[in-house]
Amino acid sequence: MLNLRIAFINIPPTVKVITLIIIILSGLGTIQRIKQWQDNGGENEGKEPTLPSNILPDMALVPGYALRKFWTFLTAGFLETNLSGFVGSILIILVNGKYLERAWGSRDFLKFIGIVIIGANICAFLTYLCEYTITGDTFYLYDVQVNGMIGLIGGFLVGLKQLIPEHLVRLTFCRVKHIPSLFLLLSFVCFVLFESQSQFLLVLYGSFISWIHLRFYKYQDGLRGDRSETFSFASFFPEFIQPAIKLISTMVFNILVMLKCCKPIQKRRFAMDLESLPTSLAPAMPGSARAEAERRRALALKALDARLHNKPNYYPTSPPPFTTSPSSYTTISPPNSSTNFNNNTDKNSSDNKSTNNILFDAKDHLKQDS
């Protein structure tokens, strides 16, 4: 109980504000749906209320009213119309949002939320508008609504993939780098089985827009974007299909460069594409994700080396010079100790050469070993 209390006390300010907005908008949405059901009491007499199916054009994004009620492009992202979505959104914003805000800072975290929510809702609005243009069915304008935090949740998972890709999640028994793809696949399955198109569109566009923002535009430790191989677009797909995805993504990137939507990558001596920018062009800085990855890699190599040293038949891959076995290592005293210096050189030399500037004669040492 004490740990739970400490966890809620340590919540960053932006996460608290976002959580409060979700609670207020979802509560107002519930009150409005109840009022709509009561106003239509004659039509719903003898029937159970279907609150989640009611249209809320004042808070949710309804394509037919979106241009007149433009604020819904933002408010729809914080409105939950069912209990499970509401509880899940609160828990995820408290856990994942807490980590991301501390990693990015409150300003960048709030900017990320606005870009993902507004961008995903605009893309979903354009998708329904295209469906109406093709089919001519007004269902896609007035009988559907887009709302929920699920698009932002997809963006949070992409952000965690960038920061801690190798972290193992105990509940799912998989690494963080695989969760965004699995989440998108699960939303597609729900779309096929339950016809939840709006939720699938939010996950799809939210994940893609968050990746674009983090990959090309977000500043981190003075660097713009993250061109590392582990955060490439192809890394979201299985390994056997990554070469084809990498080729397509590079072609798309070159088109965007021609349209001046993205800045070109400076070429060096060798050819490079979107997915193979060397990390040496962007040096790691303290506190950055790249520096953290390098630190973890160094610790892993050190632990591996220590484990190999404990084996009885272990020999170093790079033995010290002028030695043929571990037992023949030569101990050299510090140069400021003249007494020890003369004693060691008398034992290791076979002649009376001067030891003022030379520790020992390499040739004589090799002859003695032979």
Side-chain angles (χ1 to χ4, degrees):
M1 187 67 181
L2 181 60
N3 294 333
L4 183 62
R5 182 179 178 183
I6 294 176
F8 278 96
I9 292 177
N10 294 330
I11 296 174
T14 305
V15 173
K16 292 181 180 179
V17 173
I18 297 300
T19 304
L20 184 61
I21 293 175
I22 296 173
I23 295 174
I24 293 175
L25 287 180
S26 299
L28 292 176
T30 302
I31 294 174
Q32 185 175 353
R33 290 197 307 273
I34 295 175
K35 184 178 179 181
Q36 290 179 355
W37 178 75
Q38 290 177 349
D39 293 340
N40 299 326
E43 298 179 2
N44 295 330
E45 186 176 358
K47 299 180 180 179
E48 293 293 330
T50 56
L51 299 181
S53 63
N54 290 342
I55 303 299
L56 303 173
D58 294 330
M59 288 181 288
L61 178 65
V62 181
Y65 303 103
L67 296 180
R68 287 179 291 175
K69 301 181 179 183
F70 55 87
W71 60 85
T72 57
F73 285 102
L74 178 62
T75 58
F78 302 104
L79 174 66
E80 293 292 347
T81 56
N82 58 77
L83 183 60
S84 59
F86 174 76
V87 175
S89 299
I90 295 295
L91 293 178
I92 291 176
I93 192 65
L94 291 177
V95 178
N96 294 347
K98 177 180 178 180
Y99 182 87
L100 293 175
E101 182 174 356
R102 289 179 174 175
W104 294 339
S106 299
R107 181 178 179 181
D108 288 341
F109 179 68
L110 187 60
K111 182 179 179 181
F112 176 82
I113 291 176
I115 291 175
V116 173
I117 288 180
I118 296 177
N121 286 333
I122 290 176
C123 292
F125 165 75
L126 295 177
T127 301
Y128 281 117
L129 194 62
C130 291
E131 291 179 348
Y132 166 73
T133 304
I134 295 173
T135 62
D137 190 353
T138 58
F139 170 82
Y140 297 105
L141 292 182
Y142 302 104
D143 294 333
V144 296
Q145 71 177 16
V146 180
N147 67 280
M149 286 277 295
I150 193 169
L152 184 60
I153 292 173
F156 281 170
L157 295 178
V158 174
L160 293 175
K161 172 183 169 64
Q162 180 198 27
L163 296 177
I164 47 173
E166 300 298 332
H167 180 73
L168 183 64
V169 182
R170 296 180 180 179
L171 295 178
T172 59
F173 299 100
C174 65
R175 302 194 182 276
V176 172
K177 63 181 179 181
H178 300 138
I179 294 181
S181 302
L182 295 176
F183 186 63
L184 182 60
L185 179 62
L186 179 62
S187 64
F188 177 74
V189 172
C190 293
F191 165 57
V192 174
L193 296 179
F194 307 108
E195 298 182 355
S196 55
Q197 182 182 7
S198 62
Q199 303 299 305
F200 170 69
L201 292 178
L202 288 178
V203 175
L204 176 63
Y205 294 134
S207 302
F208 187 63
I209 291 173
S210 62
W211 176 80
I212 292 176
H213 174 66
L214 297 175
R215 178 75 168 175
F216 299 105
Y217 299 105
K218 183 182 179 298
Y219 282 92
Q220 182 74 17
D221 296 327
L223 303 176
R224 184 176 183 179
D226 182 1
R227 304 296 180 90
S228 62
E229 182 71 20
T230 56
F231 198 58
S232 64
F233 184 72
S235 65
F236 288 85
F237 296 85
E239 293 184 0
F240 69 91
I241 201 176
Q242 286 186 7
I245 300 297
K246 182 178 178 181
L247 179 62
I248 297 174
S249 65
T250 303
M251 294 174 59
V252 174
F253 176 74
N254 293 332
I255 295 174
L256 294 177
V257 170
M258 294 176 58
L259 298 176
K260 297 183 179 180
C261 296
C262 297
K263 291 185 178 181
I265 300 175
Q266 295 181 357
K267 294 184 179 181
R268 303 298 180 188
R269 299 177 184 177
F270 52 92
M272 65 181 72
D273 57 15
L274 173 63
E275 312 301 338
S276 62
L277 182 66
T279 56
S280 60
L281 298 182
M285 301 183 68
S288 64
R290 190 176 292 110
E292 179 68 15
E294 293 296 336
R295 185 184 68 83
R296 292 185 179 184
R297 187 180 296 108
L299 291 176
L301 292 176
K302 184 177 179 180
L304 178 61
D305 188 69
R307 183 178 299 178
L308 292 176
H309 269 292
N310 294 331
K311 292 185 177 181
N313 297 327
Y314 171 75
Y315 292 93
T317 56
S318 300
F322 315 117
T323 59
T324 56
S325 65
S327 61
S328 62
Y329 291 170
T330 302
T331 303
I332 301 176
S333 302
N336 57 357
S337 177
S338 59
T339 303
N340 294 335
F341 177 81
N342 292 329
N343 292 335
N344 289 333
T345 52
D346 290 338
K347 292 179 181 179
N348 294 330
S349 351
S350 61
D351 53 7
N352 296 325
K353 291 183 180 181
S354 175
T355 59
N356 294 331
N357 298 322
I358 303 175
L359 240 70
F360 57 86
D361 192 347
K363 295 182 180 180
D364 295 339
H365 190 80
L366 289 175
K367 290 179 181 180
Q368 291 179 2
D369 292 340
S370 63

